[in-house]
């Protein structure tokens, strides 16, 4: 009958071999864990204060225990230090500062408690090693489609067994109304992998547009080979989806290749997505053409692009409005996601009413500000003028070429436009002074009185207030102002933009990043001027020094 120690050694070695094989972990890691566990058990028996080391033979299971002690002249810690006399007995020739090995007697029996403690230490280290291996295996696989078996459903989240790890499909990443049954195989996209104290968290998705793109790559060889590219994708999971495709080979039809013979390829994807209807649309570099394609099956009459505001106005016939919008706005919503722009749908009648209202408003503005009759103001709007700055700073020759205009009339209109701008500037100046905005801000380049009024309403009234801002807080990032015309002798004309998401106090004025930096640095310049005035000149003599010099000269 084997002794208790040999039985324990055999048991621990068997555990090491089994765990290393099952968890696919290097056996050396398990042996290291066992040695750490035996060291813990030995400290419990011989004293926790001792520096005890253990070495376990991975083949025979033979165990060596020893205590490491330091040779010192005067012993302060009797557990970890020895004097020269004791050191000579342990290892002849030792000297102060050496670390020597003090063998410990073999442990005849690990004991049930010690063995159990050792197992716990081993399993913990193995568990940590397994988690690290899982993370290393999956950390670079985000965006890959993987197949697993549904293990359980907890609070609406689906736990998927991926073989050597587990992933989770959260409720918001599942296809609506899709039944998840334990034991069924499921395909999903690896969305992201995060390190966690309890092991790697592998988040899966079946609702992400990238999942649909990967499925098409599996079903359509041309996409896998790169001949056809999916440029954009948008999904309403479980209901409808749109993809924009383009072919890099003129002889291959991208839509036909994705549909397949009798729809076999697209149907395979539809079946995996639980019957989700997929519109395959030819992608185009021309935004207007792509928008028309994206709104299929609706017919589009006209597309108006506003690149400054990333908005698209689409005009459709009255009988196509409901089709273009789709049920609960689904069609236009997917088209907006596909084109990454906001799409506004309107009928011919609504578009006509909007144009008429804008035309009337601009005509009225020119009529009031320039003191001209209705016919002349309407003629200016018809020629594309929308602001006073355009009339004031456009070249005289261009203004005089308008039918019915001559050079004298053009000069008079420009003079009146400049006067109107001066009146507006004076009104802005008076309003910002009432708010308490310092006149010193008016000397900063690139700032107009209207901008100063906006700053004052935002609580920025002094140079220090402005200097404390970052450029991003002042203007929209890397956003160029729209320029309709450039005067030969006047300043560039900026038109306030109408979007809300500007990212800065003066974002609506379209200032460039360079102009924003110049404004901030000009506001901060007074800091250095104040420091120079406050600091006394190093070479200027004091009054006492001057008096002493005068007295010595006498």
């Amino acid at each position: 009958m084997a002794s208790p120690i040999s039985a324990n050694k055999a048991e621990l070695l068997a555990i090491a071999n089994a765990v290393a094989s099952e968890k696919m972990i290097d056996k050396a890691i398990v042996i290291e864990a066992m040695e750490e566990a035996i060291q813990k058990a030995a400290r419990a028996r011989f004293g926790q204060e001792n520096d005890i080391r253990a070495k376990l033979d991975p083949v025979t299971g033979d165990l060596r225990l020893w205590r490491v002690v330091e040779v010192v002249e005067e012993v302060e810690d009797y557990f970890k230090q020895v004097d020269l006399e004791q050191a000579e007995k342990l290892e002849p020739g030792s000297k102060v500062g050496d670390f020597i090995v003090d063998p410990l007697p073999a442990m005849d029996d690990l004991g049930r408690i010690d063995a159990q403690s050792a197992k716990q230490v081993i399993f913990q280290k193995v568990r940590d090693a397994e988690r690290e291996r899982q993370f290393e295996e999956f950390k670079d696989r985000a965006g890959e489609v993987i197949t697993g078996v549904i293990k359980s459903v907890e609070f609406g989240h689906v736990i998927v067994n991926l073989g050597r790890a587990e992933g989770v499909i959260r409720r918001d990443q599942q296809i609506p109304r899709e039944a998840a049954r334990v034991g069924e195989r499921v395909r999903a996209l690896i969305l992201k992998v995060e390190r966690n104290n309890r092991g790697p968290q592998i988040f899966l998705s079946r609702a992400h547009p990238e999942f649909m793109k990967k499925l098409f790559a599996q079903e359509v060889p041309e996409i896998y080979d790169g001949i056809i590219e999916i440029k954009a994708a948008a999904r309403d999971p479980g209901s409808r989806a749109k993809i924009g495709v383009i072919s890099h080979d003129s002889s291959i039809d991208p839509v036909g290749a994705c549909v397949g013979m009798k729809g076999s390829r697209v149907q395979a994807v539809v079946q995996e997505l639980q019957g989700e209807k997929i519109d395959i649309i030819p992608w185009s570099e021309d935004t207007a053409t792509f928008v028309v394609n994206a709104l299929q099956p609706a017919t589009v009459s006209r597309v108006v692009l506003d690149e400054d505001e990333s908005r698209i106005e689409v005009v459709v016939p009255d009988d196509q409005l409901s089709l273009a919008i789709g049920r609960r706005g689904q069609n236009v919503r997917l088209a907006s996601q596909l084109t990454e722009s906001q799409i506004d749908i309107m009928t011919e009648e609504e578009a006509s009413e909007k144009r008429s209202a804008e035309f009337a408003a601009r005509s009225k503005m020119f009529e009031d500000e320039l003191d001209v009759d209705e016919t002349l103001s309407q003629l200016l709007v018809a020629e594309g003028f929308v602001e006073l700055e355009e009339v004031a700073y456009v070249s005289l020759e261009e203004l005089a070429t308008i039918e019915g205009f001559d050079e004298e009339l053009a000069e008079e209109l420009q003079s009146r436009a400049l006067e109107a701008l001066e009146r507006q500037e004076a009104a802005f100046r008076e309003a910002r002074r009432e708010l308490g905005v310092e006149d010193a801000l008016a000397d900063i380049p690139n700032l107009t009185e209207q901008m100063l009024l906006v700053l004052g309403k935002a609580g920025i009234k002094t140079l220090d207030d402005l200097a404390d801002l970052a450029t991003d807080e002042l203007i929209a990032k890397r956003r160029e102002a729209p320029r309709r015309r450039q005067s030969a002798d006047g300043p560039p004309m900026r038109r306030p933009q109408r979007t809300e998401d500007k990212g800065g106090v003066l974002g609506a004025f379209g200032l460039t990043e360079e102009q924003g930096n110049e404004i901030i640095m000009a506001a901060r310049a007074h800091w250095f001027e104040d420091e120079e005035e406050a600091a006394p000149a190093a070479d200027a003599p004091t009054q006492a020094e001057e008096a002493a010099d005068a007295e010595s000269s006498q």
Side-chain angles (χ1 to χ4, degrees):
M1 180 177 176
S3 66
I5 182 61
S6 61
N8 282 328
K9 288 193 295 184
E11 181 182 358
L12 291 177
L13 285 179
I15 291 174
N17 291 324
V19 169
S21 176
E22 179 184 351
K23 304 296 183 180
M24 300 187 68
I25 298 174
D26 188 354
K27 186 180 177 182
I29 296 177
V30 184
I31 295 297
E32 182 183 348
M34 292 173 59
E35 290 173 348
E36 183 178 329
I38 294 171
Q39 287 173 189
K40 181 179 179 182
R43 288 194 189 102
R45 179 166 299 188
F46 296 108
Q48 295 290 346
E49 301 83 358
N50 293 288
D51 183 8
I52 297 177
R53 311 290 175 85
K55 183 65 177 177
L56 186 64
D57 192 308
V59 178
T60 63
D62 292 335
L63 176 65
R64 291 178 53 241
L65 286 175
W66 67 89
R67 179 172 67 113
V68 177
V69 291
E70 182 183 5
V71 181
V72 295
E73 292 182 355
E74 185 176 349
V75 177
E76 296 180 358
D77 186 347
Y78 288 93
F79 294 99
K80 297 179 180 179
Q81 296 175 342
V82 293
D83 55 22
L84 282 172
E85 183 180 350
Q86 291 178 314
E88 281 293 331
K89 298 177 181 178
L90 295 174
E91 188 173 322
S94 299
K95 55 189 177 182
V96 174
D98 289 348
F99 288 89
I100 61 176
V101 172
D102 179 16
L104 294 175
M107 297 170 62
D108 296 330
D109 186 3
L110 286 178
R112 186 178 63 84
I113 296 178
D114 291 342
Q116 193 66 27
S117 175
K119 290 179 183 179
Q120 291 175 359
V121 173
I122 293 169
F123 287 143
Q124 181 60 46
K125 286 192 68 81
V126 168
R127 203 176 296 118
D128 293 341
E130 184 183 13
R131 289 169 179 170
E132 185 63 25
R133 179 193 58 77
Q134 290 173 352
F135 178 77
E136 292 295 327
E137 180 180 350
F138 286 93
K139 68 176 183 178
D140 298 324
R141 296 179 62 181
E144 180 182 323
V145 173
I146 194 168
T147 302
V149 178
I150 297 177
K151 180 180 178 181
S152 62
V153 180
E154 300 176 3
F155 304 104
H157 306 311
V158 179
I159 310 301
V160 182
N161 184 359
L162 303 176
R164 290 181 291 182
E166 288 184 356
V168 58
I169 308 177
R170 301 177 63 175
R171 189 180 307 160
D172 59 340
Q173 294 298 326
Q174 299 172 25
I175 297 176
R177 298 178 296 280
E178 182 180 27
R181 298 181 179 85
V182 176
E184 283 189 348
R185 298 186 68 82
V186 63
R187 279 197 289 181
L189 177 79
I190 300 179
L191 202 58
K192 60 181 177 178
V193 181
E194 294 181 353
R195 193 189 294 272
N196 192 284
N197 292 334
R198 296 183 298 174
Q201 295 290 306
I202 304 173
F203 295 97
L204 309 176
S205 174
R206 285 177 56 79
H208 199 279
E210 192 67 24
F211 178 55
M212 178 178 62
K213 293 169 67 173
K214 294 293 184 180
L215 291 177
F216 269 105
Q218 292 179 355
E219 298 293 337
V220 183
E222 291 85 351
I223 295 178
Y224 182 82
D225 294 336
I227 300 173
I228 295 175
E229 181 182 357
I230 300 178
K231 299 288 286 186
R235 289 183 66 190
D236 190 353
S239 179
R240 193 173 180 183
K242 291 177 181 285
I243 62 170
V245 295
I246 186 173
S247 175
H248 299 295
D249 187 338
S250 58
S251 63
I252 297 178
D253 174 25
V255 176
C258 292
V259 172
M261 185 70 68
K262 297 181 180 181
S264 58
R265 292 176 174 177
V266 70
Q267 283 303 317
V269 178
V270 168
Q271 188 174 5
E272 177 65 34
L273 299 179
Q274 302 299 310
E276 191 172 309
K277 296 178 181 178
I278 302 175
D279 296 335
I280 304 174
I281 299 162
W283 185 85
S284 174
E285 290 185 358
D286 181 57
T287 305
T289 302
F290 188 40
V291 169
V292 172
N293 294 338
L295 285 172
Q296 292 177 359
T299 302
V300 176
S301 302
R302 187 170 63 257
V303 176
V304 181
L305 302 178
D306 189 342
E307 296 180 357
D308 299 329
E309 301 182 5
S310 190
R311 293 171 67 93
I312 301 174
E313 291 183 357
V314 176
V315 181
V316 299
D318 293 352
D319 60 345
Q320 295 286 307
L321 181 61
S322 60
L323 189 61
I325 295 176
R327 186 178 61 180
R328 299 178 182 175
Q330 184 185 68
N331 193 51
V332 67
R333 183 172 64 253
L334 290 176
S336 295
Q337 295 175 13
L338 203 66
T339 58
E340 297 182 349
S341 301
Q342 182 175 341
I343 299 178
D344 297 330
I345 305 289
M346 61 180 65
T347 62
E348 294 278 8
E349 183 180 353
E350 292 171 341
S352 178
E353 291 176 355
K354 181 180 179 181
R355 288 197 304 272
S356 299
E358 290 178 350
F359 189 89
R362 291 168 183 169
S363 299
K364 180 65 174 172
M365 183 268 295
F366 283 131
E367 188 177 342
D368 294 341
E369 297 291 344
L370 300 179
D371 192 20
V372 297
D373 59 22
E374 185 179 357
T375 302
L376 191 57
S377 64
Q378 290 179 353
L379 186 57
L380 285 171
V381 177
E383 287 295 324
F385 291 90
V386 296
E387 295 173 350
L388 285 172
E389 286 183 338
E390 297 177 1
V391 178
Y393 297 115
V394 73
S395 64
L396 193 63
E397 293 77 10
E398 183 177 347
L399 194 60
T401 56
I402 298 176
E403 186 178 354
F405 282 27
D406 55 23
E407 189 172 338
E408 183 179 354
L409 178 58
E411 288 180 356
E412 179 64 22
L413 287 175
Q414 282 199 333
S415 176
R416 294 186 182 185
L418 288 170
E419 291 176 359
L421 289 174
E422 289 175 0
R423 289 196 303 272
Q424 289 182 356
E425 196 80 353
F428 289 138
R429 185 182 301 111
E430 183 179 355
R432 64 94 174 164
R433 282 175 175 171
E434 290 179 358
L435 286 175
V437 179
E438 291 181 350
D439 289 338
L441 292 178
D443 297 331
I444 294 180
N446 301 317
L447 287 181
T448 65
E449 292 292 344
Q450 185 180 6
M451 294 179 188
L452 294 177
L453 180 60
V454 173
L455 289 173
K457 291 179 179 179
I460 302 167
K461 301 179 181 181
T462 66
L463 285 172
D464 285 332
D465 293 339
L466 184 57
D468 286 337
L469 293 180
T471 305
D472 294 347
E473 295 175 310
L474 184 67
I475 64 170
K477 288 185 179 181
R478 303 183 183 276
R479 200 77 186 263
E480 293 290 342
R483 288 180 169 83
R484 304 184 69 84
R485 290 182 176 85
Q486 177 74 37
S487 169
D489 53 356
M493 295 167 286
R494 293 189 294 272
R495 175 165 58 94
Q497 304 181 32
R498 300 179 177 84
T499 53
E500 297 295 332
D501 183 19
K502 297 302 177 184
V505 181
L506 299 181
F509 294 91
L511 292 168
T512 65
E513 186 174 7
E514 182 179 355
Q515 291 171 328
N517 289 333
E518 188 176 352
I519 291 171
I520 297 296
M521 295 310 297
R524 293 174 180 173
H526 82 284
W527 289 348
F528 305 102
E529 294 172 359
D530 294 344
E531 289 178 1
E532 291 176 358
E533 293 175 0
D539 55 350
T542 64
Q543 292 181 357
E545 290 173 341
E546 291 178 349
D549 291 341
E551 191 173 328
S552 61
S553 62
Q554 291 176 357

